Amino acid sequence: MLRSDRVFGLVVILAALAYIASALQLQTSFLSDPMGSKSFPIGLGAVAVLCGIVMIFKPEDEAEWPAPVAILKIFISVVVMVAYAYALKPLGFLIPTTLAAGILSYLITPRLTFNVMVGIGLAIGLYLLFRYALGLETLQAIPKGWGG
Amino acid sequence: MDILSNLALGFSVALSPWTLMLAVIGCFLGTIIGALPGLGPSNGVAILIPLTFSLGLDATSALVLLTSVYYGAMYGGRISSILLNIPGDEPALMTTLDGYPMAKNGRPGDALVISGVASFVGALLATIGLMLLAPLLSRVAYQFGPAEYFALYLLAFCTLGGLSSKNQAKAAFAAALGLAIATIGLDNQTGMPRFTGGNLHLMDGVDFLVPLVGLFAVSEVLIYIEKQGKDSSLGIKLEKVTIPFREIGQSFFTMLRASLVGFVAGVLPGAGASLGSFLAYMSEKSIAGKKGGFGTGVARGIAAPEAGNNAAAGGALVPMLTLGVPGSGTTAVLLALLMTLNITPGPTLFTDRPEVVWGLIASLLIANFVLLVMNVPMVKLFVYILAVPPSLLLPGVMMISFVGIFSLTGSYFDLLLMTGFGVMGYLFRKIGIPTVPIILGILLGKHMEDALRRAMILSDGDVSYLWSSPIAIGLWVAAIVGFVAPMFLRPILKRPDRVID
């Protein structure tokens, strides 16, 4: 019987083995202590493998996975976050924040006017808060070279 | 009297207008954070850490601000438990059992006042307990060598995995994962890079604030997006708030007993506030018997879990400050704060930086009175805040998280990493892997490995050195019992289900 726990247990075991393998490859230096830099990671990997085995043989009840619509929404919000991470520096604070906050707000409750207001309000409000109340100098409002 | 002169020192720090103001702001923010469902104390404190950084607060101020938030969140958690039947944070779950029925019986104001007073009693007694117990424990902690510290870290993971989670394998995996993340970066002993994959961003290791905010705040937003619209509508109207003196008097001894139970639960490393409120509620329920009417909206059923969870919150500060081992998720976050401020918790903290410790304790005493005022006469203010729609609140939380992490290094890499941890946290919560052990692992990983390796250097590789002193043996036994015993106790100590209407 295929359950999420079993699949995950297998993933855990594979990842832990990969971690142990890369621990074995670690360069050792001439400054060494009795334990060295490999033993602790190898021990951790072994514990994780054990946990993975337990998960495969004693899985819990199946997790409740969301409906396809909800998965799509989560996927969109993750894409938005990744895009935001890349955009924040080159595009300044205001434009990416308005878009990201607006889209997230729409994903939670779709009410277009309200979502637009949330986006704009959060962008301006948080900018003022971070830049002036908290004195965060690194925050650029708009891209460099736009006159600001 | 040592304590009195120390307290005098503490109050001289805490009563400065600046520190006092920070305590009040912290209490206010904390109550809001606790009250809003989906923004628990660990989340709230995690998001605020980068901000206190950019404010450039010194150690004492930052600590006062964030522990006031922490105490405040413990008070605030009850508000949504009582009015919405949704616990504002995990420890407040037990408060829904009697708080919501009482509110539905037309007495939401009474329920809020009784729970507010119980919170005050619990937190005040725990702060006094902290004052008495912490210096004693810090003296014992002087005898701790690397072997004892290693056993202590192990104990924290074992009790956390055994008591606070449903599945030992999953909790142990979470701890191993956290510890493994901590091994990324330069090796403390040899100075060689480990597990960086040649990525320069990873050379310094993973800044623990990144997984912290990712696992707690970002995953929370994803959970919310998934089940949008199902929660939160203010079903209960709060009219006039009066003080039910008679019931407060009747539940006075309940509060005292619950505070004691909660405090002890809090002091256990890895157990925390959820266990405190749970044990307090269950023990009062069995003392009251069937005639007590627990579960139908009785005053004692509200007083017990609230006194218990606030006392546990104070108790959890004891191991955090004296040993550097947090007793709960939120104290793990506070430990992260201490580390970023370059304060090493432990026995030396009490002798080297008395102004930090005693300033903190004095601020907590003051914060308690501030919180009593905010949460009893002014409670209506916070009830309005529950009406903030999630479609404004959660994008706000997300944006604050991003800017907070961005302010640390100004690099997109940390933001991507945070998003990655957010997705991981979401998936883990779905399949029931606890996230607190991961955070604890990341925080303690370097120390745990160092302790182990130093022990091995001292003993020249003899493993039995790890359990060669009475303290170490005691800790190992406690760790094993803490991990194994709950497997047998679980059927007996079944958590009551939430009230469903």
Side-chain angles (χ1 to χ4, degrees):
Chain A
M1 195 169 50
L2 194 67
R3 289 209 197 141
S4 311
D5 270 19
R6 294 209 161 114
V7 177
F8 187 73
L10 194 66
V11 174
V12 165
I13 292 175
L14 292 177
L17 289 177
Y19 178 76
I20 293 175
S22 64
L24 288 170
Q25 305 279 315
L26 283 176
Q27 292 175 357
T28 38
S29 82
F30 59 96
L31 276 171
S32 200
D33 48 314
M35 235 184 94
S37 48
K38 293 177 184 179
S39 321
F40 190 69
I42 292 173
L44 291 178
V47 171
V49 169
L50 266 179
C51 296
I53 293 173
V54 174
M55 280 182 232
I56 289 177
F57 284 101
K58 277 187 70 183
E60 286 184 296
D61 296 339
E62 183 58 42
E64 265 180 56
W65 293 104
V69 187
I71 293 179
L72 183 69
K73 279 184 175 168
I74 288 169
F75 180 74
I76 295 173
S77 53
V78 172
V79 171
V80 167
M81 284 188 257
V82 171
Y84 185 72
Y86 278 108
L88 189 57
K89 208 164 189 178
L91 292 183
F93 182 74
L94 293 180
I95 300 167
T97 306
T98 307
L99 288 174
I103 295 172
L104 286 177
S105 173
Y106 182 82
L107 290 172
I108 293 166
T109 320
R111 268 187 301 157
L112 210 51
T113 5
F114 183 74
N115 304 139
V116 172
M117 274 161 54
V118 166
I120 296 173
L122 278 178
I124 295 175
L126 289 179
Y127 179 73
L128 294 176
L129 176 73
F130 286 120
R131 186 66 205 264
Y132 297 103
L134 300 177
L136 203 63
E137 307 271 321
T138 45
L139 216 58
Q140 293 280 332
I142 49 173
K144 274 182 192 156
W146 278 22
Chain B
M1 281 302 279
D2 254 7
I3 288 183
L4 288 183
S5 62
N6 283 330
L7 261 188
L9 169 73
F11 276 105
S12 71
V13 177
L15 284 175
S16 76
W18 171 243
T19 320
L20 209 55
M21 189 189 78
L22 287 174
V24 173
I25 294 177
C27 293
F28 186 74
L29 283 177
T31 311
I32 294 178
I33 287 170
L36 290 168
L39 193 62
S42 3
N43 273 336
V45 178
I47 296 174
L48 287 173
I49 288 180
L51 297 187
T52 49
F53 241 18
S54 47
L55 264 175
L57 291 179
D58 64 84
T60 317
S61 311
L63 202 56
V64 166
L65 178 68
L66 290 181
T67 37
S68 310
V69 171
Y70 169 56
Y71 263 38
M74 289 294 158
Y75 274 76
R78 76 194 206 284
I79 298 176
S80 60
S81 297
I82 291 172
L83 295 180
L84 304 176
N85 194 24
I86 301 167
D89 49 37
E90 207 209 323
L93 174 65
M94 306 307 287
T95 313
T96 59
L97 299 178
D98 271 278
Y100 185 65
M102 184 185 257
K104 257 190 10 189
N105 295 341
R107 299 172 56 205
D110 290 357
L112 286 172
V113 173
I114 293 167
S115 57
V117 173
S119 299
F120 173 75
V121 173
L124 187 68
L125 291 177
T127 312
I128 294 170
L130 166 71
M131 224 156 71
L132 300 173
L133 186 61
L136 287 180
L137 199 61
S138 77
R139 243 167 272 160
V140 177
Y142 268 118
Q143 318 209 346
F144 278 41
E148 284 80 8
Y149 267 109
F150 181 75
L152 182 70
Y153 294 138
L154 203 68
L155 170 67
F157 287 114
C158 287
T159 45
L160 189 67
L163 294 171
S164 323
S165 78
K166 288 198 225 81
N167 183 319
Q168 266 87 345
K170 288 180 176 177
F173 162 70
L177 176 66
L179 291 168
I181 292 172
T183 59
I184 296 173
L186 296 182
D187 181 349
N188 270 357
Q189 304 272 348
T190 59
M192 302 295 282
R194 293 194 291 181
F195 309 107
T196 59
N199 189 328
L200 282 181
H201 290 292
L202 290 175
M203 217 55 138
D204 285 337
V206 177
D207 187 330
F208 40 66
L209 288 174
V210 175
L212 195 67
V213 177
L215 286 174
F216 286 161
V218 176
S219 74
E220 188 71 50
V221 175
L222 293 179
I223 293 268
Y224 231 95
I225 289 174
E226 179 198 320
K227 57 170 191 189
Q228 42 123 357
K230 281 186 198 156
D231 281 341
S232 100
S233 58
L234 210 53
I236 286 166
K237 282 261 181 308
L238 181 63
E239 306 280 329
K240 232 171 59 206
V241 176
T242 52
I243 300 180
F245 286 105
R246 215 168 54 86
E247 277 173 306
I248 291 175
Q250 282 168 351
S251 48
F252 183 68
F253 285 102
T254 298
M255 292 181 198
L256 290 188
R257 280 192 300 263
S259 303
L260 182 70
V261 172
F263 183 74
V264 173
V267 171
L268 285 176
S274 307
L275 186 74
S277 65
F278 171 71
L279 288 180
Y281 185 87
M282 294 312 273
S283 62
E284 281 307 310
K285 189 178 176 182
S286 58
I287 289 174
K290 278 221 158 59
K291 274 184 288 176
F294 271 53
T296 58
V298 290
R300 289 166 68 183
I302 298 172
E306 273 307 308
N309 102 36
N310 284 271
L317 289 174
V318 174
M320 198 273 273
L321 288 173
T322 54
L323 301 167
V325 175
S328 67
T330 320
T331 38
V333 181
L334 287 174
L335 180 69
L337 171 74
L338 285 176
M339 289 176 170
T340 43
L341 292 168
N342 264 332
I343 299 174
T344 317
T348 48
L349 184 62
F350 284 76
T351 44
D352 296 354
R353 308 285 298 271
E355 81 288 354
V356 173
V357 182
W358 292 98
L360 173 69
I361 290 175
S363 300
L364 288 177
L365 286 172
I366 297 169
N368 256 319
F369 287 92
V370 175
L371 281 166
L372 181 67
V373 174
M374 280 185 184
N375 280 278
V376 175
M378 289 166 62
V379 70
K380 281 192 104 163
L381 186 67
F382 294 101
V383 174
Y384 290 120
I385 288 167
L386 288 183
V388 173
S391 52
L392 168 62
L393 174 70
L394 292 163
V397 167
M398 191 72 112
M399 295 299 124
I400 294 175
S401 309
F402 268 94
V403 179
I405 293 299
F406 183 71
S407 71
L408 292 176
T409 53
S411 115
Y412 71 94
F413 182 78
D414 285 341
L415 297 181
L416 288 180
L417 206 57
M418 178 182 90
T419 310
F421 274 110
V423 175
M424 189 174 98
Y426 169 78
L427 291 175
F428 279 12
R429 282 163 75 162
K430 279 278 145 194
I431 46 179
I433 294 183
T435 45
V436 174
I438 305 179
I439 293 298
L440 209 60
I442 297 174
L443 278 176
L444 299 180
K446 282 241 149 59
H447 296 266
M448 191 167 176
E449 187 181 359
D450 275 354
L452 182 59
R453 284 167 79 169
R454 271 189 289 128
M456 288 301 102
I457 291 172
L458 285 178
S459 70
D460 206 20
D462 179 11
V463 182
S464 67
Y465 177 74
L466 288 176
W467 43 83
S468 58
S469 77
I471 295 179
I473 293 173
L475 290 168
W476 275 91
V477 170
I480 294 167
V481 170
F483 192 71
V484 177
M487 293 183 198
F488 303 103
L489 290 177
R490 206 158 279 142
I492 307 169
L493 285 175
K494 201 168 171 294
R495 275 170 199 265
D497 293 326
R498 263 165 77 175
V499 190
I500 300 161
D501 43 0

